[in-house]
Amino acid sequence: MEERSLVVIKPDGVVRGLTGKIISRFEEVGLKLVAAKLLKVTKSLAEKHYPGDREAWLRGMGEKTLENYKKFKVDPIKMLGTNDTHEIGLMIQKWLVDYISSGPVLAFVVEGPHAVELVRKICGNTLPLLSAPGTIRGDYAFDSSYLANTGKRAIKNLVHSSGSIEEAQYEIPLWFSSSEIFQYERVEEKVMR
Ligand code: ADP
Ligand code: MG
C-alpha cells in the first residue's frame, strides 16, 4: 500500500507563484514529502521523462486529444495535419519536452498509502477545462487541447504526476538519487492510519 509518486510543478506553476499552494495540497491530505528540488530541466532529462518510444502513452495522448476535438467539433487534420493517434502523440511529446525545459520546475516525491492514485485525484483531469473544482488543475487553470493546439504548444496544466506505480518507479530515479530521498515520520501517521 505504501507508494511513492513523482510530482513536477511545471514552469507555468513556478512563474505564477503557485508552488507553495500546490505542495500544501499534498501535505494537507497526509502525504509525506520525501524529496524536493528546484531545477532547470535539461533536454536529456526531458526526453527520458517524456520518452518518444512509449507507444501506449503516445497513443493515449492522441486518443484523449481526438476525444476533446470531437467535443469541440475540431477537425484533427485541419488542426494538426493528421488524425493518427501515434503521430499526434509524437507531436505532443515534442511540445512537452520544450515546455518542461522552458524554465525552472519544482520536482518532488511524496510517499504514503495509495500515493499514486491520491496524487492523480488531487491534480485532476489532464485537461484543466474538464478537471473538477477542488483539484489543482481545476482550481488554477483553464487550458484545453483546442487552445493549446491552436498555439501549437503543450497544455499548460501546472503539474506532472506519475500515472501509475510502474511510471513512478521509472520516473523517480530519473529526478532523484537515493541519497536525496528522506525517511522520517509525520506526526499524523499514528492518528490517520
Ligand atoms: P497527465 O499529465 O494527466 O498524466 P498525459 O500523460 O496523457 O497526461 O499527457 C502528458 C501531458 O501532455 C499533459 O499533462 C499535457 O501537458 C500534455 N498534453 C496532453 N494532450 C495534449 C494536447 N492535445 N496538446 C498539447 N498538450 C497535451
Ligand atoms: Mg502522464
Side-chain angles (χ1 to χ4, degrees), residues 17-84:
L18 293 172
T19 52
K21 281 189 170 134
I22 291 173
I23 293 183
S24 297
R25 301 257 170 141
F26 301 105
E27 289 185 319
E28 282 165 0
V29 83
L31 285 166
K32 193 191 297 183
L33 189 65
V34 294
K37 65 176 142 190
L38 189 70
L39 73 158
K40 179 86 162 45
V41 178
T42 59
K43 282 266 171 296
S44 147
L45 172 58
E47 278 165 1
K48 285 187 198 124
H49 178 76
Y50 289 128
D53 58 1
R54 203 195 283 160
E55 187 59 25
W57 171 68
L58 291 176
R59 286 212 183 265
M61 286 195 297
E63 276 153 23
K64 280 195 245 177
T65 302
L66 290 181
E67 265 170 47
N68 192 240
Y69 281 11
K70 209 181 256 172
K71 184 173 166 190
F72 293 103
K73 298 190 172 44
V74 176
D75 178 355
I77 310 263
K78 274 197 196 127
M79 178 73 95
L80 302 172
T82 177
N83 58 7
D84 179 83

Side-chain angles (χ1 to χ4, degrees), residues 86-139:
H86 173 84
E87 275 181 44
I88 296 173
L90 268 184
M91 221 176 274
I92 297 171
Q93 186 258 348
K94 292 204 173 63
W95 295 332
L96 275 173
V97 167
D98 290 343
Y99 170 36
I100 198 99
S101 53
S102 66
V105 301
L106 188 76
F108 55 96
V109 177
V110 290
E111 187 182 276
H114 309 295
V116 171
E117 197 177 335
L118 205 47
V119 165
R120 295 296 282 187
K121 182 181 76 170
I122 293 168
C123 289
N125 192 291
T126 303
L127 303 180
L129 180 66
L130 304 183
S131 33
T135 65
I136 293 166
R137 289 162 167 177
D139 283 351

Side-chain angles (χ1 to χ4, degrees), residues 57 120 160-161 163 167:
W57 171 68
R120 295 296 282 187
H160 162 81
S161 61
E167 229 178 83

